[in-house]
Every structure is written in structure tokens, then in C-alpha cells.
Amino acid sequence: MSLKNFPTGHRLSTRLTSTWTPTRLARWGLTLALLCCVGGIGYIWRLGSVGLVDETEPLFAEAARHMLSTGDWITPYFNGETRFDKPPLIYWCMAVAYRVVGVNEWGARLPSALAAIASVTFVAIALLRFGNGGQSIEPVDTSEPIGGLDWLSAWLGMSITALTPLTIAWGRTGVSDMLLTACICGTMVAFFHAYAASEQRAKTYWYLTCYTAVGLGILTKGPVAIVLPALGIGAFLLHVRRFWTVVREMALVHGLFLVGALCVPWFIAVSAIHGSSYIDSFFGYHNFDRFTSVVNNHSAPWYFYALVVLGGFAPFSIYLPVAIARLQVWKLSQWRQQPRSSHLGVFAFWWFVSIFAFFSASVTKLPSYLLPLLPATAILVALWWRDRFFPSSSDKSSSPTQQLQSDRLHAIGLWVQVGANILLFVALAIASLFLTSLLGEDSSAPDLLPAIEAARLPLWGGLIWGIAAAIALGVALLSRWRWVPAINIAGMLAFVVLLVAVAFPLMDVQRQLPLRQLSQQAAEELLPNEQVVAIGFMKPSITFYLQQNVRYASGPRALKRFIDALQAEPEPSSYLLLGTIDDFENFRLERHPYERLQDAGAYRLARMEL
């Protein structure tokens, strides 16, 4: 294909404007429909169709259930012990959800799902307002036929935010990470609205919203909810040389008072009840120690988060380097001369960089730590795609020679990126076809690989990504570049449908369902004063589904200590054992008489008399 046939952004935008002129009301309707589509399929559809996944999710779900059942809304407990890992907002949200939909998987995951949808909405709000160089959204006029070019970045940003592997994984999991992401996203978007607002009333409203989101974020996961936004906002303001001007207009003292009013009462209450044990555990172990040392063996090399962004934001991560490069953040004087409303791109850049750098410096590393930067990543990529096809008036005012050179460079760059995009699709198709070989055997789910083959998951995954690769290659050869992001979005949407409708239920049947069935059977079999002992593993889902404290014996010695303690009681009776069939052999329990109650999958439930 000759580069002279490459369609420039100006010609493409003119073509679209002349053929598509929906009213503002129609565009609002399309935006809401898109939000319902990506949010509903990504996070609400079949949300409670699979059981809680060990290890972390049941810890949150059970702590919230305990709060609801006991009425103790100050101290989180799991299995009879205090759980100071996180502040209480996620537990409160889960408990409220339990009130509405019942104590089940739906209730445990609903706060995360709604938080994910909120993050998508915040990105859309930012891009609707500032995705077209700061052009404001006028009041709805149903008779005004305006082209939808200023809405393109918002639609792209919404879809990209909703349909990435990391957000799908944690948006459907009942933990605190997605709620923190929504709070930080709300903080950053509200700040930028206040920063760019021209009226004092609007500034006040958005700054209050910003501080409220900070307070809720601290109640979700602690000081990180104020540290991360402060780093990103501070770096941005220094970059545009407006630091002290904006700090003065932020009414910082009043804002911090609002933040404190939201979160300090709970910290005072829990500290008054538990004293130094809470302070040392939460502020010491779960905050300071996680940053300065390895906690729970969660170590990783220095480049770990680069891989997380590449995989967790795929396939859109391919376009992130050029989306950042297009900003030319090194041109300080140019950015400082522009109006505030045009700074969304460089603001998203510092939002991304500050969080990436902070957690890269942390010694403890987990993929979920980067969730708060994904909205910024979506904004950067969405702005790049919009500017590629619909350049600003300054871009169109260059000379014909400069425009031709620019078009050639853009064409070469797009071919490189779309080529990488196609190669990624091909790699995903090949990986899908060889899925069972890549996974390997799983002792806790011995029938998993045959079940995957029987469900034809490798074939369906290969088809999704193979078709996406073929279509992407076709549109590239025809220079229909504007369809490339749509192919990525459609491919991810189809893949999410496959995951939610087939893969997740299959994994649940093979891995979690047997343990859930035996936990529920144990609840029915329990005699008065009888206890349940889980041997060989720590599976918090047992406690949630049993709705009773469980003794966890990691080895034969721990089990022996428990048995000796029971035998020392005035009226020793029996207890229920729950573990894998292999653990029953490893613990040498065949030497002791026990009643086998039920086997399910790789697990066994038994009663042992003392």
C-alpha cells in the first residue's frame, strides 16, 4: 500500500462529520447505552454465579458477614480474630449489599462491581468535558445537529477502562482494591474539574468532591488514598508551574478538615478499643512494612510493573508508549502557556507516572496495586486515538509540506503499532489453542484439564483472537485505521463473555464447588459443641460457607495439639475433619478410626471420635 493513500486525520474527520450528525440527546443516549453494555457485561452479568475464590476474597466476605451478624461495625473479625488489614468501608459496603441481596456471592462482589462502573463513569466524565481540548458540554439541545467527534474519546475511554484484564478480574472480586481505585479515580477527576473550572462556585463544588473521595479512599485502604493523589497532583502542578497558585485556591486546611471528619472518627474508635495492637498491625505491618520489606512472599523484580501494565492493560497497552510520547511533556513552556482546560493529557501522564513509580519503589509487589493508574492509562490512549483521527485546529494549520511529512510519520507509526497489535492477537490465539499445555496439572482440581478440553475453551479462545487478528489485518491493508480500537474493544468484549459464561463456571466447578459443598455439608452434620478442623491448608471460604469459626491445622503436629486440647476437656466428644484426600493420607489418619461422611473432588469430610 502506498503511503500517499494514507487518510489524514483532517480528511477522515471531515468524512465522518458529513455523514454522522446525531443530536446531543442521542449522544447522551449512546453513552448511557455503552456504559450499560460494558459495565453490565463486564461486572454485573452472572456476578454471583460462581463461589468465592480462595484465598483473599472470603476474608473480606466473612468479615463483612460477621459485622452484619454481630452489629460490631468498628472492628473487623475473621474466624474469631481481628482483621486489621484494611479499614472498614469495604466491609460496610458489603454488609449493606448483604442486606439488599442476601449473604451470598452477589452481595460480597457488588461493591467492587459498582466501584468498577464508577471508575468507568469518572473517565467518561473527564473525557466528555476535556477530551476535545477543553470544549465544554453545553446544556442538552435536542434540535442541534452536532457531530459526535468530541464524544469519541469518551466512548473509547469508557470501553478501554472497562475491558482490561486487571479491571475485569478485580471488578468481579469481593476485595477492597476496586473500591480504592474508584476513590482515587474520583479524587483525580474531581481535582482536574476544579483546576480547570473558571467559576469559583464550580471550583468549590469539585474540590469538595475531591476531598470527599480522599476521605472515602482512606476509609477503604488507608493513607495510600491520600499519598498517591498528592504525588500525582503535586508533580503535575510543578510541571505546569501552578503549584502554589492552585494550593492556595484549594482551601487545603478546610479540605483536610473534611477528610478528617470522614475517616478520623473510626480510626480513633478502633484505636481506643484495641490500642497499640491495631496501630502496630495496620500502620506498621500493613503499610510501612509492605513498602519497605517483602510481606507474605510478594516479591518481584524491578521491572515487574512494566509487565503488569503490558499484560493487565492488554491489548490497549500497545498504544501507551506513543500516547505518552505524543504529549511531548518535555516542552515545558508550551504546556505552561496553554489554558488549564487543555491539560488533561499531561495530568493523566503524571497520574500514571506517580503511581507506577511509587509502587515500583515498594518492596512488596502485587498486580492489584496498579489498578488506580489504569483510568489514567485509558485517558492517555483514548486521547491519542482521538487526536490521531481528529486533530486540533493547530495541527491542521501547518503547511502542506509539513502536513505530508506528518502524515507519513503517522502512517509508519500506525503500521508498527497495528502490526504489534495483530501479532498480539496471533499470540493470544496460539496460547488459547495450547491452553491445557500451558496450565499443567492441578492436584486440587484433577479433572480441570479434561473439562477445559470438553468445553472447547481452547478452540473458542483461538477463534476469538484469530478472527480479531484477521479483521485487524484487513482493515490495516484497507487503511481503515479508525476501526482498530473498535476491533480491540469487540475482541475483549467477546473474550469477557467467554470467561464469564464458560471459563469462570468451569473453574468454579472444578476448584471451589467441591470445597463449598463439603463446607455446607459440614454445617448440616455438626453436632452440639462439635468443631470443624481444616487440615493441610488455609481456605477461608470454609469459614464463610460454614458461618462458624474453623480450626486450621497446617500439619500433623498442629492437629495433634488440637486433639490433645480437646481430650483435656471434661467431656471430650468428636470433631469434623475437612481436607484433601491426600492430606488424610499424609496426616496418617488412616491409623485412627474415622467416619467418612462425603468425598467431593479432591476433598473429604469425615468425623473423628475422641
Side-chain angles (χ1 to χ4, degrees), residues 180-419:
L180 174 68
T181 299
C183 290
I184 291 180
C185 186
T187 298
M188 301 300 276
V189 170
F191 166 81
F192 192 80
H193 271 78
Y195 166 82
S198 57
E199 297 181 359
Q200 185 58 43
R201 183 177 179 180
K203 284 184 179 292
T204 301
Y205 169 79
W206 285 111
Y207 278 132
L208 288 175
T209 304
C210 173
Y211 290 127
T212 300
V214 170
L216 295 177
I218 294 174
L219 270 181
T220 299
K221 217 166 183 179
V224 70
I226 193 170
V227 172
L228 295 181
L231 290 174
I233 292 171
F236 164 70
L237 293 178
L238 290 173
H239 185 273
V240 296
R241 196 178 287 176
R242 287 178 169 88
F243 186 86
W244 290 114
T245 301
V246 175
V247 167
R248 284 191 291 269
E249 74 183 29
M250 288 177 67
L252 200 57
V253 174
H254 294 86
L256 293 177
F257 180 82
L258 175 59
V259 171
L262 288 171
C263 61
V264 168
W266 178 82
F267 283 102
I268 292 175
V270 72
S271 298
I273 296 171
H274 299 281
S276 60
S277 62
Y278 168 75
I279 296 172
D280 294 341
S281 176
F282 178 72
F283 291 101
Y285 180 76
H286 290 292
N287 282 273
F288 182 77
D289 288 352
R290 282 181 181 269
F291 189 83
T292 59
S293 60
V294 178
V295 171
N296 296 333
N297 297 318
H298 294 310
S299 62
W302 61 269
Y303 53 83
F304 174 71
Y305 283 128
L307 299 179
V308 171
V309 172
L310 182 63
F313 193 60
F316 312 104
S317 53
I318 291 173
Y319 303 96
L320 181 61
V322 71
I324 292 176
R326 73 171 263 285
L327 295 173
Q328 298 180 317
V329 294
W330 58 87
K331 294 185 177 180
L332 300 181
S333 59
Q334 176 179 316
W335 280 108
R336 291 166 181 173
Q337 293 172 4
Q338 291 180 357
R340 292 187 179 190
S341 59
S342 65
H343 287 166
L344 180 61
V346 74
F347 176 72
F349 167 78
W350 285 112
W351 177 354
F352 174 92
V353 168
S354 61
I355 295 177
F356 186 90
F358 180 85
F359 285 117
S360 293
S362 173
V363 179
T364 298
K365 291 181 170 62
L366 285 170
S368 60
Y369 287 176
L370 287 196
L371 277 169
L373 65 71
L374 290 185
T377 314
I379 290 173
L380 289 168
V381 174
L383 288 176
W384 182 83
W385 275 110
R386 186 217 169 274
D387 286 354
R388 171 79 287 278
F389 296 130
F390 313 113
S392 63
S393 57
S394 61
D395 297 328
K396 302 171 189 175
S397 61
S398 56
S399 66
T401 301
Q402 292 175 328
Q403 185 66 49
L404 180 60
Q405 292 176 345
S406 176
D407 288 343
R408 289 178 180 273
L409 290 175
H410 281 309
I412 294 172
L414 267 180
W415 267 110
V416 171
Q417 293 165 76
V418 174

Side-chain angles (χ1 to χ4, degrees), residues 461-479:
L463 282 175
I464 288 173
W465 298 119
I467 292 172
I471 296 176
L473 179 60
V475 301
L477 293 174
L478 295 172
S479 298

Side-chain angles (χ1 to χ4, degrees), residues 62-78:
E62 171 59 17
R65 188 201 66 80
H66 184 273
M67 274 190 173
L68 183 64
S69 62
T70 62
D72 182 356
W73 297 90
I74 300 298
T75 307
Y77 285 92
F78 174 80

